[in-house]
Every structure is written in C-alpha cells, then in structure tokens.
Amino acid sequence: MPSSSTTIISKCTVYPDHKSSLKTLKLSVSDLPMLSCQYIQKGVLLSYPPYSFDDLITFLKRSLSTALSFFPPLAGRLSTDPDGHVHIVCNDAGIDFFQAKATHLFINNVLSPSDVPDCFKEFFAFDRMLSYSGHSKPLAEVQVTELADGVFIGCTVNHAVTDGTSFWHFFNSFAEFCKGAKRISKSPDFSRDTVFNSPAVLKFPAGGPKLTFSGNEPLRERIFHFSREAIIRLKYRANNGNILCNPAEILGKQCNDSWKVVNGDSNDKIAPISENFLKNKTVEISSFQSLCAQLWRSVTRARNLSPFKKTTFRMAVNCRHRLEPWLHPYYFGNAIQSIPTIAPVGELLSHDLHWGAELLHKNVVAHDDGTVRKGITDWEREPRLFPLGNFDGASITMGSSPRFPMYENDFGWGRPLAIRSGRANKFDGKISAFPGREGNGSVDLEVVLAPETMDGLELDGEFMQYVSTSV
C-alpha cells in the first residue's frame, strides 16, 4: 500500500460561539481513574463532500464552534485545587483544529488490507497524550484529513472528561450542526449531585501519573465483521450448547430482541426496563455476551497458556441505567465501571461456549445499583488509577459498544463508510466493539493482539466460522 505519511496543512483554535454559563465541574470517582489513560481517539471515514475542501473546513469550524457552546467542558482545562480535587474549568479556552492532507491515499487503500493500516494513527493529534495533560493542553481536538476520494474526521477527547456515551453524544451533535440543525437534539446533563461525586482525593506523583502499559510492544490490529445472521447463530449456540441451528428458522424468534437495550450488557442502554423483565433477565445470554465469550475462548486458545493459569475478560459497562434512580441518559462525563470475569484457562477451553458465556452473563446481570455503589465505596477507601493493560499475558479488555450511534455521524452528505480509531490505549488484548455499518445487529470488533496470537486467532475455525469475508 502507498506511504502512509499525512501532512498537517494548518492548525488553529476553535472557540465556543457563546460564553459558558458553567464555571467548574469536579471530576468524579469515575472520571479520576482515567487521568492515566490516553485521550480517546475515534473518527469517521466519509466519501468526498459535494463541495470544495476549503468550504468543508469552513462549515466544520462553524459547526464545531456551535457544538462547543453546548459542551463547554470540552473547551475548558483541568485544574487541581489546594485540597487535591481536580476540576474542569469551563473557561472557553477552546480546542485545537487541524487540517491535514493524505491525498495519495484512496478509500479502498485504507479499507482493503486485512490489518488496519498505520495511516489511521496519523489521522489524530494528541498522540500518546495522557488525560492528566489536560491541565495544560486542550481537552479535545478535531483533525480533518483530505484523502484522494474521501475525508476522515478524527475526534480526540480527554478520557477523564468523557466516556464513550458522552464522546459520541458530542461527536453526533457536531455532525448534526454541520448538517444544518439549528438546535441540539439531545442536551447534555452536567449535574454533579450524583453518587459518583465524592470528597475522596486521588493523589498523584510530581509531574502526574505514568502510562500503565508499555505502549511499545509489537501489535497487530484487525477489524472482524460479524453479520446479523452470524450473531444469531452465536447467540443460539451460547444459549443451547452445540446444537446445530438454521439461522432462517430462528431469525424471527430471536433476532428481533437480540440487540434490544434490555439484554443487560449495553454500554448505551436508555429505554426503560419493565419490572417483569428485571425478574427474568437472567434467562437468556445476550448476543453481545455470546460474541464476547467466543472471542475470550479463541484468543485464550491462541495464546497457548497453561491450563492452570487464570484468564480475565474485563468489560466496561455504562452505569447510568444501573443506578436507582437512573442517572440522566445524557449525563456528561464518565459513568462507567469495569466488570472482570475470571476463569482457569483449562476450564474455559474444556467446556462449551455456553459455560464461558454464562459466566459473563451472570457477572453483567449482577452489576446492579448495589454493586455500582459498592465499587464507588471501595474506590473511595483506596483511590487509584485505572490499571489499563495486559499485565499477566492472559487478559482481554473490551471497550466501546456496538450500541453507540457511530454511524449517525452524517455531516451532510451521507453516513460514514467506516469507523476507525487511533493509537490510543492499545495493547495486547484490547478489543473495541463497533456497530456494523449495515446495522440490524451486525458488529465489528477492533481486535489488537500480539502478532503470534493474531496468527493463531485467524487459524481458529470455531471463531472464524462467524467472521464475514466481506463487509
């Protein structure tokens, strides 16, 4: 494939088009652990706009300025007060906006290789920057890169300021304004009178925290696509053992509810849940839990670990709907916790898919209001940073969500062609779940593994039977 070099053409600061009425927002017990994580880097690949690239830049700057006026924390900076509490100062200091060019690259160039090309790492600024740097650096940036026949709009946001729900809420709003919206369709909620608000102080060494993983090991990164039918087959197998099924026969029965937001593992669950469902929600292993269980089994097998070693599948979950009463669905900030599920390697691999899927399912279902509050109390007793990484060589960390509205980022001339991320927060065993472009319950998994493990996964027939050869 052609050289991946990207040239920065210009850089400027974009300010909110209205002054902020917010003054400061204190970081919560869900925000503070993210200060050692790198900024979130996610972006959308689009076809070429139906007007000049210069006009596009003008439209994007204007709509970004409007969006920032509704999300004033992103245009602020971090500040630590004398008591050690970290705040977002909503001072309208603005965010960075980069215009870049990689016109030697075509859409097919960057989508056709089996592994994700390195060029995507160059479509984002603030590379390798820790969220603690928000004390002196902008809390967000946008980079717009012109390709030969397309454009990539990359958005980078401080992870101590947003989780995935808030990130995509902002990114979607930015796109809506570029498309011509006159008002925001879903207003963010900046309240801080929640269970996550705490007097606890997280202490940092001089100069701030360090990255918790090396970031230098050789890695392969690949997008695996799972169609709606493949997901249905996986869910059926997870719930019914290794019984063969015909997807057409179970399509009507299972597919209609396989991706509803009431399955218990959503990172973006908003719809109300009935009391009867809550009583019975342990009955069925969800689609996403089924997919996670298959990935856990196959990656663990590819790693050739001792059967006596323990393996961990760690899943980030949205707590907005798990609390009683619920947080506002568009609460702005981090409202996530990590659910670890642990099993001996030999047990996970000697049983069928249902065994591992049920472990994941039970853990997710059990993560209710009481569990969320216990996690907060435990953290307050011993404040600590989030230990991102694969410290024992046997872990998998699942982030993002196939329910995030990534393909709703229509800037005025059509839905994205693909979603991609930058270099941030990637290590052996880091997985991110995206919706498939065709919707209907399809899923893309962005899988980052050591090269020899990825080689083994690609030879794993149990896993690869569900992977689509074309998207």
Side-chain angles (χ1 to χ4, degrees), residues 335-357:
I336 54 176
Q337 288 182 337
S338 178
I339 302 179
T341 302
I342 302 168
V345 169
E347 294 257 337
L348 179 68
L349 298 183
S350 63
H351 291 91
D352 62 10
L353 178 65
H354 172 79
W355 190 87

Side-chain angles (χ1 to χ4, degrees), residues 189-200:
D189 175 73
F190 298 111
S191 61
R192 285 302 184 261
D193 55 343
T194 75
V195 66
F196 288 109
N197 193 33
S198 169

Side-chain angles (χ1 to χ4, degrees), residues 218-220 299 303 427-429 431 447-451 453-454 457:
L219 296 170
R220 280 186 62 194
V299 169
R303 283 175 167 162
F427 49 86
D428 176 23
I431 319 296
V447 177
V448 179
L449 293 170
T453 306
M454 184 71 84
L457 182 64

